[in-house]
Amino acid sequence: MDIRELDRRALATLGAVIAQIGPDQLRLPTPCADWTLHGLLRHQVSENLGFAAAAAGVTGDLRAWDRGDLGEDPHQAYLDSADAMTGAFTEEVLDRSLQIREFGFFPGRVALGMHVLDCVVHGWDVAQTIGVAYDPGTDLVRHSLKVAALIPTGAPSDDRPRTPFAPAVEISEGSPALERLLGLVGRRPAAS
């Protein structure tokens, strides 16, 4: 499957969960340590805009990854940032080297894979926070598992002062793929 199509579906799946958030839920804590739902949404909007900036050739400016503003309508802010993200990743961007936050330079295809993972995991975070069902689909989970398996899973260290996710937690090998994915990124699904 075209990685851009996979990313559009990941964005849409996350967007469908975000659409279910009530304004009184934005202060709720999430499975992401130290983030309320408002903070998590702001992070995702910022990430979408940051990936779009990277696709446009922005390097060396970490502020490009912290420009999310939810305004009066967090769902619309998300949709606008998703549109910016989707529009930025043209075919020619897929083979270019992009700076992704402080994590380094990656081919556009790899960067999109990282973004898919981010959307799938944060979709689960939002769904857990507001108590709604979440099913991102087998292919999104399978792709995200492959990407998550390549990400360092330990705690931050001197040579890695920041990690993209919490340290991995052990999940039974026989668990469903989504639960194994969540374990790789430091989440402990209730069923495990």
Side-chain angles (χ1 to χ4, degrees), residues 18 21-32 34-46 66 68-75 77-78 125-126 129-130:
I18 290 171
I21 297 172
D24 58 328
Q25 295 176 311
L26 291 173
R27 293 184 189 265
L28 293 174
T30 70
C32 291
D34 302 325
W35 275 349
T36 63
L37 189 53
H38 183 278
L40 178 60
L41 294 180
R42 185 184 177 287
H43 162 75
Q44 193 60 51
V45 168
S46 294
D66 192 32
D69 180 5
L70 300 183
E72 296 296 315
D73 187 346
H75 184 238
Y78 173 79
D125 291 333
V126 174
T129 301
I130 64 174

PDB file of all heavy atoms in Angstrom, residues 18 21-32 34-46 66 68-75 77-78 125-126 129-130:
ATOM      1  N   ILE A  18     -11.095  11.936  17.770  1.00  0.00           N
ATOM      2  CA  ILE A  18     -11.060  13.306  18.282  1.00  0.00           C
ATOM      3  C   ILE A  18     -12.431  13.969  18.151  1.00  0.00           C
ATOM      4  O   ILE A  18     -12.844  14.740  19.018  1.00  0.00           O
ATOM      5  CB  ILE A  18      -9.966  14.123  17.563  1.00  0.00           C
ATOM      6  CG1 ILE A  18      -8.582  13.623  17.983  1.00  0.00           C
ATOM      7  CG2 ILE A  18     -10.104  15.620  17.843  1.00  0.00           C
ATOM      8  CD1 ILE A  18      -7.424  14.208  17.189  1.00  0.00           C
ATOM      9  N   ILE A  21     -14.742  13.926  21.237  1.00  0.00           N
ATOM     10  CA  ILE A  21     -14.357  14.589  22.492  1.00  0.00           C
ATOM     11  C   ILE A  21     -15.339  15.697  22.823  1.00  0.00           C
ATOM     12  O   ILE A  21     -15.642  16.546  21.982  1.00  0.00           O
ATOM     13  CB  ILE A  21     -12.932  15.175  22.381  1.00  0.00           C
ATOM     14  CG1 ILE A  21     -11.916  14.056  22.165  1.00  0.00           C
ATOM     15  CG2 ILE A  21     -12.590  16.004  23.615  1.00  0.00           C
ATOM     16  CD1 ILE A  21     -10.523  14.551  21.853  1.00  0.00           C
ATOM     17  N   GLY A  22     -15.803  15.698  24.057  1.00  0.00           N
ATOM     18  CA  GLY A  22     -16.647  16.785  24.544  1.00  0.00           C
ATOM     19  C   GLY A  22     -15.778  17.865  25.170  1.00  0.00           C
ATOM     20  O   GLY A  22     -14.686  17.579  25.671  1.00  0.00           O
ATOM     21  N   PRO A  23     -16.219  19.131  25.148  1.00  0.00           N
ATOM     22  CA  PRO A  23     -15.402  20.223  25.683  1.00  0.00           C
ATOM     23  C   PRO A  23     -15.073  20.044  27.160  1.00  0.00           C
ATOM     24  O   PRO A  23     -14.035  20.511  27.624  1.00  0.00           O
ATOM     25  CB  PRO A  23     -16.255  21.472  25.446  1.00  0.00           C
ATOM     26  CG  PRO A  23     -17.624  20.995  25.126  1.00  0.00           C
ATOM     27  CD  PRO A  23     -17.505  19.591  24.634  1.00  0.00           C
ATOM     28  N   ASP A  24     -15.914  19.335  27.891  1.00  0.00           N
ATOM     29  CA  ASP A  24     -15.658  19.111  29.312  1.00  0.00           C
ATOM     30  C   ASP A  24     -14.617  18.019  29.542  1.00  0.00           C
ATOM     31  O   ASP A  24     -14.216  17.779  30.684  1.00  0.00           O
ATOM     32  CB  ASP A  24     -16.960  18.754  30.036  1.00  0.00           C
ATOM     33  CG  ASP A  24     -17.624  17.526  29.432  1.00  0.00           C
ATOM     34  OD1 ASP A  24     -17.501  17.311  28.209  1.00  0.00           O
ATOM     35  OD2 ASP A  24     -18.270  16.772  30.196  1.00  0.00           O
ATOM     36  N   GLN A  25     -14.132  17.373  28.500  1.00  0.00           N
ATOM     37  CA  GLN A  25     -13.163  16.283  28.637  1.00  0.00           C
ATOM     38  C   GLN A  25     -11.720  16.721  28.403  1.00  0.00           C
ATOM     39  O   GLN A  25     -10.804  15.936  28.623  1.00  0.00           O
ATOM     40  CB  GLN A  25     -13.516  15.148  27.659  1.00  0.00           C
ATOM     41  CG  GLN A  25     -14.851  14.492  27.974  1.00  0.00           C
ATOM     42  CD  GLN A  25     -15.224  13.447  26.943  1.00  0.00           C
ATOM     43  OE1 GLN A  25     -15.167  13.708  25.748  1.00  0.00           O
ATOM     44  NE2 GLN A  25     -15.608  12.272  27.419  1.00  0.00           N
ATOM     45  N   LEU A  26     -11.500  17.943  27.988  1.00  0.00           N
ATOM     46  CA  LEU A  26     -10.155  18.372  27.618  1.00  0.00           C
ATOM     47  C   LEU A  26      -9.176  18.400  28.786  1.00  0.00           C
ATOM     48  O   LEU A  26      -7.959  18.354  28.574  1.00  0.00           O
ATOM     49  CB  LEU A  26     -10.205  19.745  26.938  1.00  0.00           C
ATOM     50  CG  LEU A  26     -10.846  19.744  25.551  1.00  0.00           C
ATOM     51  CD1 LEU A  26     -11.002  21.166  25.033  1.00  0.00           C
ATOM     52  CD2 LEU A  26     -10.037  18.900  24.577  1.00  0.00           C
ATOM     53  N   ARG A  27      -9.655  18.434  30.000  1.00  0.00           N
ATOM     54  CA  ARG A  27      -8.755  18.462  31.167  1.00  0.00           C
ATOM     55  C   ARG A  27      -8.457  17.064  31.717  1.00  0.00           C
ATOM     56  O   ARG A  27      -7.704  16.918  32.675  1.00  0.00           O
ATOM     57  CB  ARG A  27      -9.362  19.318  32.273  1.00  0.00           C
ATOM     58  CG  ARG A  27      -9.430  20.775  31.915  1.00  0.00           C
ATOM     59  CD  ARG A  27      -9.948  21.591  33.095  1.00  0.00           C
ATOM     60  NE  ARG A  27     -10.219  22.950  32.707  1.00  0.00           N
ATOM     61  CZ  ARG A  27      -9.356  23.945  32.855  1.00  0.00           C
ATOM     62  NH1 ARG A  27      -8.184  23.733  33.361  1.00  0.00           N
ATOM     63  NH2 ARG A  27      -9.689  25.161  32.478  1.00  0.00           N
ATOM     64  N   LEU A  28      -9.041  16.037  31.114  1.00  0.00           N
ATOM     65  CA  LEU A  28      -8.829  14.670  31.595  1.00  0.00           C
ATOM     66  C   LEU A  28      -7.379  14.230  31.402  1.00  0.00           C
ATOM     67  O   LEU A  28      -6.750  14.574  30.403  1.00  0.00           O
ATOM     68  CB  LEU A  28      -9.745  13.695  30.848  1.00  0.00           C
ATOM     69  CG  LEU A  28     -11.244  13.833  31.087  1.00  0.00           C
ATOM     70  CD1 LEU A  28     -12.010  12.885  30.168  1.00  0.00           C
ATOM     71  CD2 LEU A  28     -11.580  13.551  32.550  1.00  0.00           C
ATOM     72  N   PRO A  29      -6.830  13.446  32.346  1.00  0.00           N
ATOM     73  CA  PRO A  29      -5.494  12.877  32.148  1.00  0.00           C
ATOM     74  C   PRO A  29      -5.543  11.795  31.066  1.00  0.00           C
ATOM     75  O   PRO A  29      -6.585  11.190  30.835  1.00  0.00           O
ATOM     76  CB  PRO A  29      -5.156  12.289  33.518  1.00  0.00           C
ATOM     77  CG  PRO A  29      -6.477  12.007  34.149  1.00  0.00           C
ATOM     78  CD  PRO A  29      -7.439  13.044  33.608  1.00  0.00           C
ATOM     79  N   THR A  30      -4.424  11.567  30.406  1.00  0.00           N
ATOM     80  CA  THR A  30      -4.349  10.575  29.335  1.00  0.00           C
ATOM     81  C   THR A  30      -3.305   9.514  29.689  1.00  0.00           C
ATOM     82  O   THR A  30      -2.526   9.694  30.632  1.00  0.00           O
ATOM     83  CB  THR A  30      -3.933  11.235  28.004  1.00  0.00           C
ATOM     84  OG1 THR A  30      -2.563  11.641  28.105  1.00  0.00           O
ATOM     85  CG2 THR A  30      -4.822  12.418  27.661  1.00  0.00           C
ATOM     86  N   PRO A  31      -3.236   8.439  28.923  1.00  0.00           N
ATOM     87  CA  PRO A  31      -2.167   7.452  29.125  1.00  0.00           C
ATOM     88  C   PRO A  31      -0.773   8.012  28.848  1.00  0.00           C
ATOM     89  O   PRO A  31       0.221   7.382  29.198  1.00  0.00           O
ATOM     90  CB  PRO A  31      -2.510   6.343  28.123  1.00  0.00           C
ATOM     91  CG  PRO A  31      -3.985   6.452  27.927  1.00  0.00           C
ATOM     92  CD  PRO A  31      -4.257   7.933  27.993  1.00  0.00           C
ATOM     93  N   CYS A  32      -0.675   9.173  28.206  1.00  0.00           N
ATOM     94  CA  CYS A  32       0.618   9.836  28.003  1.00  0.00           C
ATOM     95  C   CYS A  32       0.983  10.561  29.294  1.00  0.00           C
ATOM     96  O   CYS A  32       0.268  11.480  29.700  1.00  0.00           O
ATOM     97  CB  CYS A  32       0.533  10.859  26.872  1.00  0.00           C
ATOM     98  SG  CYS A  32       0.338  10.164  25.253  1.00  0.00           S
ATOM     99  N   ASP A  34       1.997  12.945  32.040  1.00  0.00           N
ATOM    100  CA  ASP A  34       2.046  14.406  32.177  1.00  0.00           C
ATOM    101  C   ASP A  34       1.197  15.181  31.170  1.00  0.00           C
ATOM    102  O   ASP A  34       1.319  16.401  31.095  1.00  0.00           O
ATOM    103  CB  ASP A  34       3.492  14.930  32.103  1.00  0.00           C
ATOM    104  CG  ASP A  34       4.366  14.318  33.177  1.00  0.00           C
ATOM    105  OD1 ASP A  34       3.865  14.074  34.288  1.00  0.00           O
ATOM    106  OD2 ASP A  34       5.550  14.058  32.889  1.00  0.00           O
ATOM    107  N   TRP A  35       0.363  14.522  30.390  1.00  0.00           N
ATOM    108  CA  TRP A  35      -0.469  15.232  29.426  1.00  0.00           C
ATOM    109  C   TRP A  35      -1.941  15.068  29.723  1.00  0.00           C
ATOM    110  O   TRP A  35      -2.433  13.961  29.922  1.00  0.00           O
ATOM    111  CB  TRP A  35      -0.230  14.728  28.004  1.00  0.00           C
ATOM    112  CG  TRP A  35       0.923  15.373  27.312  1.00  0.00           C
ATOM    113  CD1 TRP A  35       1.637  16.465  27.718  1.00  0.00           C
ATOM    114  CD2 TRP A  35       1.502  14.960  26.084  1.00  0.00           C
ATOM    115  NE1 TRP A  35       2.610  16.758  26.818  1.00  0.00           N
ATOM    116  CE2 TRP A  35       2.555  15.849  25.805  1.00  0.00           C
ATOM    117  CE3 TRP A  35       1.225  13.931  25.198  1.00  0.00           C
ATOM    118  CZ2 TRP A  35       3.340  15.738  24.675  1.00  0.00           C
ATOM    119  CZ3 TRP A  35       2.010  13.826  24.066  1.00  0.00           C
ATOM    120  CH2 TRP A  35       3.052  14.720  23.811  1.00  0.00           C
ATOM    121  N   THR A  36      -2.626  16.197  29.712  1.00  0.00           N
ATOM    122  CA  THR A  36      -4.082  16.162  29.705  1.00  0.00           C
ATOM    123  C   THR A  36      -4.513  15.907  28.257  1.00  0.00           C
ATOM    124  O   THR A  36      -3.684  15.935  27.333  1.00  0.00           O
ATOM    125  CB  THR A  36      -4.675  17.508  30.160  1.00  0.00           C
ATOM    126  OG1 THR A  36      -4.265  18.511  29.215  1.00  0.00           O
ATOM    127  CG2 THR A  36      -4.246  17.873  31.571  1.00  0.00           C
ATOM    128  N   LEU A  37      -5.789  15.707  28.049  1.00  0.00           N
ATOM    129  CA  LEU A  37      -6.285  15.515  26.692  1.00  0.00           C
ATOM    130  C   LEU A  37      -6.002  16.756  25.840  1.00  0.00           C
ATOM    131  O   LEU A  37      -5.596  16.644  24.677  1.00  0.00           O
ATOM    132  CB  LEU A  37      -7.781  15.188  26.717  1.00  0.00           C
ATOM    133  CG  LEU A  37      -8.402  14.751  25.406  1.00  0.00           C
ATOM    134  CD1 LEU A  37      -7.646  13.599  24.766  1.00  0.00           C
ATOM    135  CD2 LEU A  37      -9.861  14.364  25.626  1.00  0.00           C
ATOM    136  N   HIS A  38      -6.167  17.937  26.409  1.00  0.00           N
ATOM    137  CA  HIS A  38      -5.839  19.173  25.692  1.00  0.00           C
ATOM    138  C   HIS A  38      -4.378  19.160  25.261  1.00  0.00           C
ATOM    139  O   HIS A  38      -4.051  19.468  24.106  1.00  0.00           O
ATOM    140  CB  HIS A  38      -6.124  20.390  26.585  1.00  0.00           C
ATOM    141  CG  HIS A  38      -5.875  21.696  25.905  1.00  0.00           C
ATOM    142  ND1 HIS A  38      -4.612  22.261  25.801  1.00  0.00           N
ATOM    143  CD2 HIS A  38      -6.721  22.554  25.281  1.00  0.00           C
ATOM    144  CE1 HIS A  38      -4.690  23.405  25.151  1.00  0.00           C
ATOM    145  NE2 HIS A  38      -5.962  23.606  24.821  1.00  0.00           N
ATOM    146  N   GLY A  39      -3.479  18.799  26.162  1.00  0.00           N
ATOM    147  CA  GLY A  39      -2.054  18.748  25.843  1.00  0.00           C
ATOM    148  C   GLY A  39      -1.737  17.731  24.757  1.00  0.00           C
ATOM    149  O   GLY A  39      -0.910  17.981  23.871  1.00  0.00           O
ATOM    150  N   LEU A  40      -2.394  16.589  24.817  1.00  0.00           N
ATOM    151  CA  LEU A  40      -2.177  15.556  23.807  1.00  0.00           C
ATOM    152  C   LEU A  40      -2.662  16.020  22.433  1.00  0.00           C
ATOM    153  O   LEU A  40      -1.979  15.822  21.426  1.00  0.00           O
ATOM    154  CB  LEU A  40      -2.880  14.259  24.212  1.00  0.00           C
ATOM    155  CG  LEU A  40      -2.785  13.103  23.219  1.00  0.00           C
ATOM    156  CD1 LEU A  40      -1.338  12.711  22.970  1.00  0.00           C
ATOM    157  CD2 LEU A  40      -3.581  11.913  23.724  1.00  0.00           C
ATOM    158  N   LEU A  41      -3.823  16.660  22.399  1.00  0.00           N
ATOM    159  CA  LEU A  41      -4.324  17.177  21.119  1.00  0.00           C
ATOM    160  C   LEU A  41      -3.405  18.263  20.572  1.00  0.00           C
ATOM    161  O   LEU A  41      -3.133  18.306  19.367  1.00  0.00           O
ATOM    162  CB  LEU A  41      -5.739  17.721  21.273  1.00  0.00           C
ATOM    163  CG  LEU A  41      -6.825  16.703  21.608  1.00  0.00           C
ATOM    164  CD1 LEU A  41      -8.162  17.397  21.728  1.00  0.00           C
ATOM    165  CD2 LEU A  41      -6.876  15.596  20.591  1.00  0.00           C
ATOM    166  N   ARG A  42      -2.941  19.139  21.450  1.00  0.00           N
ATOM    167  CA  ARG A  42      -2.023  20.184  21.013  1.00  0.00           C
ATOM    168  C   ARG A  42      -0.741  19.556  20.462  1.00  0.00           C
ATOM    169  O   ARG A  42      -0.206  19.986  19.448  1.00  0.00           O
ATOM    170  CB  ARG A  42      -1.694  21.132  22.162  1.00  0.00           C
ATOM    171  CG  ARG A  42      -0.844  22.295  21.725  1.00  0.00           C
ATOM    172  CD  ARG A  42      -0.427  23.193  22.894  1.00  0.00           C
ATOM    173  NE  ARG A  42       0.440  24.244  22.422  1.00  0.00           N
ATOM    174  CZ  ARG A  42       1.703  24.078  22.038  1.00  0.00           C
ATOM    175  NH1 ARG A  42       2.253  22.894  22.051  1.00  0.00           N
ATOM    176  NH2 ARG A  42       2.424  25.100  21.636  1.00  0.00           N
ATOM    177  N   HIS A  43      -0.265  18.512  21.130  1.00  0.00           N
ATOM    178  CA  HIS A  43       0.917  17.784  20.649  1.00  0.00           C
ATOM    179  C   HIS A  43       0.670  17.227  19.249  1.00  0.00           C
ATOM    180  O   HIS A  43       1.513  17.372  18.361  1.00  0.00           O
ATOM    181  CB  HIS A  43       1.262  16.639  21.613  1.00  0.00           C
ATOM    182  CG  HIS A  43       2.154  15.604  21.019  1.00  0.00           C
ATOM    183  ND1 HIS A  43       3.504  15.805  20.809  1.00  0.00           N
ATOM    184  CD2 HIS A  43       1.875  14.350  20.575  1.00  0.00           C
ATOM    185  CE1 HIS A  43       4.020  14.712  20.257  1.00  0.00           C
ATOM    186  NE2 HIS A  43       3.065  13.817  20.104  1.00  0.00           N
ATOM    187  N   GLN A  44      -0.482  16.605  19.026  1.00  0.00           N
ATOM    188  CA  GLN A  44      -0.737  15.993  17.729  1.00  0.00           C
ATOM    189  C   GLN A  44      -0.869  17.048  16.632  1.00  0.00           C
ATOM    190  O   GLN A  44      -0.362  16.852  15.529  1.00  0.00           O
ATOM    191  CB  GLN A  44      -1.972  15.102  17.769  1.00  0.00           C
ATOM    192  CG  GLN A  44      -2.096  14.211  16.554  1.00  0.00           C
ATOM    193  CD  GLN A  44      -0.916  13.263  16.390  1.00  0.00           C
ATOM    194  OE1 GLN A  44      -0.540  12.565  17.335  1.00  0.00           O
ATOM    195  NE2 GLN A  44      -0.318  13.238  15.210  1.00  0.00           N
ATOM    196  N   VAL A  45      -1.514  18.145  16.939  1.00  0.00           N
ATOM    197  CA  VAL A  45      -1.588  19.243  15.963  1.00  0.00           C
ATOM    198  C   VAL A  45      -0.175  19.763  15.670  1.00  0.00           C
ATOM    199  O   VAL A  45       0.196  19.974  14.513  1.00  0.00           O
ATOM    200  CB  VAL A  45      -2.523  20.364  16.466  1.00  0.00           C
ATOM    201  CG1 VAL A  45      -2.386  21.626  15.626  1.00  0.00           C
ATOM    202  CG2 VAL A  45      -3.978  19.877  16.476  1.00  0.00           C
ATOM    203  N   SER A  46       0.627  19.914  16.725  1.00  0.00           N
ATOM    204  CA  SER A  46       2.015  20.366  16.544  1.00  0.00           C
ATOM    205  C   SER A  46       2.808  19.382  15.700  1.00  0.00           C
ATOM    206  O   SER A  46       3.590  19.785  14.823  1.00  0.00           O
ATOM    207  CB  SER A  46       2.701  20.540  17.905  1.00  0.00           C
ATOM    208  OG  SER A  46       2.113  21.585  18.639  1.00  0.00           O
ATOM    209  N   ASP A  66       6.400  22.778  17.579  1.00  0.00           N
ATOM    210  CA  ASP A  66       5.638  23.187  18.773  1.00  0.00           C
ATOM    211  C   ASP A  66       4.738  24.376  18.454  1.00  0.00           C
ATOM    212  O   ASP A  66       4.618  25.311  19.234  1.00  0.00           O
ATOM    213  CB  ASP A  66       6.607  23.542  19.904  1.00  0.00           C
ATOM    214  CG  ASP A  66       5.893  23.686  21.236  1.00  0.00           C
ATOM    215  OD1 ASP A  66       4.887  22.987  21.458  1.00  0.00           O
ATOM    216  OD2 ASP A  66       6.342  24.506  22.058  1.00  0.00           O
ATOM    217  N   GLY A  68       1.400  24.044  17.510  1.00  0.00           N
ATOM    218  CA  GLY A  68      -0.018  23.685  17.546  1.00  0.00           C
ATOM    219  C   GLY A  68      -0.828  24.623  18.410  1.00  0.00           C
ATOM    220  O   GLY A  68      -0.428  24.954  19.517  1.00  0.00           O
ATOM    221  N   ASP A  69      -1.944  25.061  17.890  1.00  0.00           N
ATOM    222  CA  ASP A  69      -2.862  25.935  18.622  1.00  0.00           C
ATOM    223  C   ASP A  69      -4.257  25.368  18.401  1.00  0.00           C
ATOM    224  O   ASP A  69      -4.726  25.275  17.267  1.00  0.00           O
ATOM    225  CB  ASP A  69      -2.760  27.359  18.097  1.00  0.00           C
ATOM    226  CG  ASP A  69      -3.695  28.318  18.806  1.00  0.00           C
ATOM    227  OD1 ASP A  69      -4.371  27.915  19.787  1.00  0.00           O
ATOM    228  OD2 ASP A  69      -3.769  29.480  18.379  1.00  0.00           O
ATOM    229  N   LEU A  70      -4.923  24.981  19.474  1.00  0.00           N
ATOM    230  CA  LEU A  70      -6.252  24.372  19.348  1.00  0.00           C
ATOM    231  C   LEU A  70      -7.356  25.399  19.160  1.00  0.00           C
ATOM    232  O   LEU A  70      -8.438  25.052  18.689  1.00  0.00           O
ATOM    233  CB  LEU A  70      -6.549  23.499  20.570  1.00  0.00           C
ATOM    234  CG  LEU A  70      -5.587  22.341  20.804  1.00  0.00           C
ATOM    235  CD1 LEU A  70      -6.055  21.517  21.999  1.00  0.00           C
ATOM    236  CD2 LEU A  70      -5.434  21.471  19.574  1.00  0.00           C
ATOM    237  N   GLY A  71      -7.094  26.633  19.527  1.00  0.00           N
ATOM    238  CA  GLY A  71      -8.119  27.672  19.382  1.00  0.00           C
ATOM    239  C   GLY A  71      -9.417  27.294  20.075  1.00  0.00           C
ATOM    240  O   GLY A  71      -9.425  26.629  21.101  1.00  0.00           O
ATOM    241  N   GLU A  72     -10.519  27.722  19.501  1.00  0.00           N
ATOM    242  CA  GLU A  72     -11.836  27.450  20.085  1.00  0.00           C
ATOM    243  C   GLU A  72     -12.410  26.102  19.668  1.00  0.00           C
ATOM    244  O   GLU A  72     -13.369  25.621  20.255  1.00  0.00           O
ATOM    245  CB  GLU A  72     -12.821  28.562  19.666  1.00  0.00           C
ATOM    246  CG  GLU A  72     -12.467  29.932  20.194  1.00  0.00           C
ATOM    247  CD  GLU A  72     -12.518  29.986  21.711  1.00  0.00           C
ATOM    248  OE1 GLU A  72     -13.484  29.465  22.301  1.00  0.00           O
ATOM    249  OE2 GLU A  72     -11.562  30.537  22.301  1.00  0.00           O
ATOM    250  N   ASP A  73     -11.825  25.481  18.654  1.00  0.00           N
ATOM    251  CA  ASP A  73     -12.357  24.230  18.112  1.00  0.00           C
ATOM    252  C   ASP A  73     -11.214  23.237  17.890  1.00  0.00           C
ATOM    253  O   ASP A  73     -10.619  23.190  16.807  1.00  0.00           O
ATOM    254  CB  ASP A  73     -13.094  24.510  16.799  1.00  0.00           C
ATOM    255  CG  ASP A  73     -13.826  23.288  16.258  1.00  0.00           C
ATOM    256  OD1 ASP A  73     -13.568  22.165  16.727  1.00  0.00           O
ATOM    257  OD2 ASP A  73     -14.655  23.468  15.342  1.00  0.00           O
ATOM    258  N   PRO A  74     -10.887  22.439  18.918  1.00  0.00           N
ATOM    259  CA  PRO A  74      -9.768  21.500  18.796  1.00  0.00           C
ATOM    260  C   PRO A  74      -9.905  20.529  17.625  1.00  0.00           C
ATOM    261  O   PRO A  74      -8.912  20.214  16.968  1.00  0.00           O
ATOM    262  CB  PRO A  74      -9.771  20.755  20.131  1.00  0.00           C
ATOM    263  CG  PRO A  74     -10.411  21.704  21.084  1.00  0.00           C
ATOM    264  CD  PRO A  74     -11.447  22.437  20.277  1.00  0.00           C
ATOM    265  N   HIS A  75     -11.125  20.073  17.362  1.00  0.00           N
ATOM    266  CA  HIS A  75     -11.302  19.138  16.251  1.00  0.00           C
ATOM    267  C   HIS A  75     -10.968  19.810  14.922  1.00  0.00           C
ATOM    268  O   HIS A  75     -10.269  19.235  14.081  1.00  0.00           O
ATOM    269  CB  HIS A  75     -12.726  18.576  16.235  1.00  0.00           C
ATOM    270  CG  HIS A  75     -12.933  17.549  15.170  1.00  0.00           C
ATOM    271  ND1 HIS A  75     -13.891  17.691  14.197  1.00  0.00           N
ATOM    272  CD2 HIS A  75     -12.294  16.385  14.905  1.00  0.00           C
ATOM    273  CE1 HIS A  75     -13.826  16.637  13.381  1.00  0.00           C
ATOM    274  NE2 HIS A  75     -12.862  15.837  13.792  1.00  0.00           N
ATOM    275  N   ALA A  77      -8.984  22.376  14.514  1.00  0.00           N
ATOM    276  CA  ALA A  77      -7.531  22.600  14.510  1.00  0.00           C
ATOM    277  C   ALA A  77      -6.819  21.331  14.070  1.00  0.00           C
ATOM    278  O   ALA A  77      -5.854  21.382  13.285  1.00  0.00           O
ATOM    279  CB  ALA A  77      -7.059  23.039  15.891  1.00  0.00           C
ATOM    280  N   TYR A  78      -7.286  20.188  14.559  1.00  0.00           N
ATOM    281  CA  TYR A  78      -6.702  18.913  14.139  1.00  0.00           C
ATOM    282  C   TYR A  78      -6.905  18.696  12.637  1.00  0.00           C
ATOM    283  O   TYR A  78      -5.965  18.333  11.918  1.00  0.00           O
ATOM    284  CB  TYR A  78      -7.287  17.744  14.932  1.00  0.00           C
ATOM    285  CG  TYR A  78      -6.811  16.436  14.378  1.00  0.00           C
ATOM    286  CD1 TYR A  78      -5.534  15.958  14.674  1.00  0.00           C
ATOM    287  CD2 TYR A  78      -7.595  15.700  13.487  1.00  0.00           C
ATOM    288  CE1 TYR A  78      -5.061  14.783  14.108  1.00  0.00           C
ATOM    289  CE2 TYR A  78      -7.129  14.529  12.922  1.00  0.00           C
ATOM    290  CZ  TYR A  78      -5.865  14.074  13.233  1.00  0.00           C
ATOM    291  OH  TYR A  78      -5.397  12.914  12.664  1.00  0.00           O
ATOM    292  N   ASP A 125      -4.737   6.464  22.799  1.00  0.00           N
ATOM    293  CA  ASP A 125      -4.680   7.307  23.993  1.00  0.00           C
ATOM    294  C   ASP A 125      -5.971   8.114  24.160  1.00  0.00           C
ATOM    295  O   ASP A 125      -6.540   8.181  25.254  1.00  0.00           O
ATOM    296  CB  ASP A 125      -3.497   8.288  23.914  1.00  0.00           C
ATOM    297  CG  ASP A 125      -2.142   7.616  24.019  1.00  0.00           C
ATOM    298  OD1 ASP A 125      -2.033   6.539  24.642  1.00  0.00           O
ATOM    299  OD2 ASP A 125      -1.176   8.185  23.471  1.00  0.00           O
ATOM    300  N   VAL A 126      -6.406   8.733  23.069  1.00  0.00           N
ATOM    301  CA  VAL A 126      -7.624   9.556  23.128  1.00  0.00           C
ATOM    302  C   VAL A 126      -8.835   8.678  23.429  1.00  0.00           C
ATOM    303  O   VAL A 126      -9.663   9.008  24.279  1.00  0.00           O
ATOM    304  CB  VAL A 126      -7.827  10.350  21.817  1.00  0.00           C
ATOM    305  CG1 VAL A 126      -9.168  11.072  21.824  1.00  0.00           C
ATOM    306  CG2 VAL A 126      -6.691  11.351  21.612  1.00  0.00           C
ATOM    307  N   THR A 129      -8.957   7.697  26.985  1.00  0.00           N
ATOM    308  CA  THR A 129      -9.254   8.845  27.842  1.00  0.00           C
ATOM    309  C   THR A 129     -10.750   9.145  27.885  1.00  0.00           C
ATOM    310  O   THR A 129     -11.293   9.433  28.945  1.00  0.00           O
ATOM    311  CB  THR A 129      -8.468  10.086  27.356  1.00  0.00           C
ATOM    312  OG1 THR A 129      -7.068   9.781  27.399  1.00  0.00           O
ATOM    313  CG2 THR A 129      -8.758  11.295  28.215  1.00  0.00           C
ATOM    314  N   ILE A 130     -11.410   9.067  26.734  1.00  0.00           N
ATOM    315  CA  ILE A 130     -12.839   9.427  26.701  1.00  0.00           C
ATOM    316  C   ILE A 130     -13.766   8.208  26.746  1.00  0.00           C
ATOM    317  O   ILE A 130     -14.983   8.357  26.722  1.00  0.00           O
ATOM    318  CB  ILE A 130     -13.170  10.328  25.491  1.00  0.00           C
ATOM    319  CG1 ILE A 130     -12.934   9.616  24.160  1.00  0.00           C
ATOM    320  CG2 ILE A 130     -12.376  11.630  25.582  1.00  0.00           C
ATOM    321  CD1 ILE A 130     -13.377  10.415  22.943  1.00  0.00           C
TER     322      ILE A 130
END
